[in-house]
Amino acid sequence: MTAPQLLTTVCATRAALERKRAGGLTVALVPTMGALHEGHLTLVRRARELADVVVVSIFVNPLQFGAGEDLDAYPRTLDADRELLAAEGVDFVFAPAAREMYPSGESETRVTAGHVGTLLEGATRPGHFDGMLTVVAKLFNIVGPDVALFGQKDAQQVFLVRRMLADLNLPLDLEVVPTVREADGLALSSRNRFLDAGARQAALSLSAALQAADAAAGEGLVELLAEATASFGDHDEVTLDYLVVVDPDTFLPVDEHYRGRALALIAARVGATRLIDNAAITIG
Ligand code: PAF
């Protein structure tokens, strides 16, 4: 097991990857904010299958955290992350400091996520998706990957990155990897480590609601929302933020006449921890 080479500067990262590309090797990038779990490792394993060289970026991006959000509390576990990545045969870890990514403070130039970026997660976290797209575009420019891998759990992020690639003609492929779940259905998330036993049990309401939505999808939108809401239930510890169904091609909510492929999306606050999940369903 060879430890991945740790890169902390833009210049060294560009040079290291340039040498690999000059040797005819392809490059996969898995962008992360660290606190790695099995969901990230699934992305890494898929990256290994898709390219010769695997780069994992670990950067808690201040641009995508709003005032009062958990930027300082966000778990930072670089040593443990590097050990996990060594076991997966990752070639490079790019873990820059904030001043390396934003030498003159938070950059004024931003990629804007547009209307979809203001909905759902964007409504709760204003500016989050502009900050996310901005750092993802920077990572693409620094690493120059042939393919970048993202998890389906962050469905709105995936939609916006896919659209950015198309809108800005960025020359790489996007590989979306299905959500990894615990045996009882809980979607893996770096934030799950904040859940105590009671909150973790309560958090199962999210996946239960999505399963109910899927089971009722044949009966139409109104029925599926009613079933999913009933399944989510009333709990002291969990507050539903949204439960909506969107058209996967536009990420806009569908109406009761909609038939076909759709995405059911849920967000809830479990104690102090905000969790999201989603499921692909077919309505009608
Ligand atoms: O999904 C994440 O962890 C982050 O949004 C990403 C893509 C690494 C950008 O900071």
Side-chain angles (χ1 to χ4, degrees):
M1 159 170 117
T2 316
Q5 186 180 338
L6 179 64
L7 299 164
T8 56
T9 67
V10 172
C11 190
T13 305
R14 283 224 167 97
L17 274 307
E18 193 44 56
R19 280 194 294 275
K20 297 291 179 189
R21 272 190 300 272
L25 301 179
T26 55
V27 177
L29 170 66
V30 181
T32 81
M33 296 204 302
L36 302 182
H37 52 65
E38 193 57 29
H40 297 108
L41 300 183
T42 306
L43 296 176
V44 167
R45 286 174 204 135
R46 182 72 186 126
R48 267 263 74 97
E49 291 170 0
L50 293 175
D52 303 312
V53 177
V54 175
V55 184
V56 175
S57 62
I58 297 180
F59 179 60
V60 183
N61 173 35
L63 240 56
Q64 67 190 77
F65 286 78
E69 284 192 42
D70 55 356
L71 173 63
D72 291 336
Y74 200 86
R76 287 159 173 88
T77 56
L78 184 59
D79 291 342
D81 291 346
R82 286 177 67 196
E83 273 180 37
L84 288 173
L85 297 175
E88 298 299 332
V90 165
D91 301 282
F92 296 103
V93 169
F94 175 48
R99 68 184 169 282
E100 178 69 14
M101 290 296 272
Y102 304 114
S104 41
E106 295 193 351
S107 56
E108 293 284 330
T109 305
R110 304 279 165 111
V111 178
T112 57
H115 177 59
V116 171
T118 66
L119 307 175
L120 303 167
E121 288 308 289
T124 315
R125 310 182 65 190
H128 165 71
F129 285 119
D130 292 358
M132 180 279 293
L133 286 181
T134 302
V135 83
V136 167
K138 283 167 72 75
L139 291 169
F140 290 169
N141 284 329
I142 294 164
V143 174
D146 299 279
V147 60
L149 294 94
F150 289 80
Q152 174 60 26
K153 189 175 84 63
D154 296 304
Q156 194 171 4
Q157 168 167 283
V158 164
F159 174 88
L160 292 167
V161 170
R162 189 190 303 286
R163 198 172 61 178
M164 175 176 75
L165 290 184
D167 286 352
L168 301 185
N169 304 100
L170 299 182
L172 64 139
D173 294 329
L174 174 65
E175 176 80 5
V176 181
V177 175
T179 302
V180 181
R181 296 179 183 279
E182 305 272 13
D184 58 10
L186 183 69
L188 296 195
S189 163
S190 301
R191 293 193 163 101
N192 290 355
R193 66 188 69 200
F194 297 132
L195 304 173
D196 62 22
R200 194 200 168 288
Q201 188 60 28
L204 294 176
S205 313
L206 281 85
S207 52
L210 293 174
Q211 281 164 19
D214 185 31
E219 298 165 52
L221 179 69
V222 174
E223 195 61 32
L224 89 78
L225 286 178
E227 291 292 328
T229 307
S231 169
F232 185 83
D234 272 333
H235 313 262
D236 290 340
E237 247 182 308
V238 189
T239 315
L240 184 63
D241 185 355
Y242 59 74
L243 171 59
V244 291
V245 178
V246 299
D247 178 339
D249 293 332
T250 61
F251 226 84
L252 298 175
V254 301
D255 66 18
E256 67 274 22
H257 306 296
Y258 184 87
R259 296 287 175 272
R261 288 184 318 117
L263 267 180
L265 308 166
I266 191 165
R269 195 164 281 281
V270 184
T273 307
R274 194 158 177 286
L275 298 177
I276 58 172
D277 200 353
N278 67 86
I281 58 173
T282 302
I283 304 185

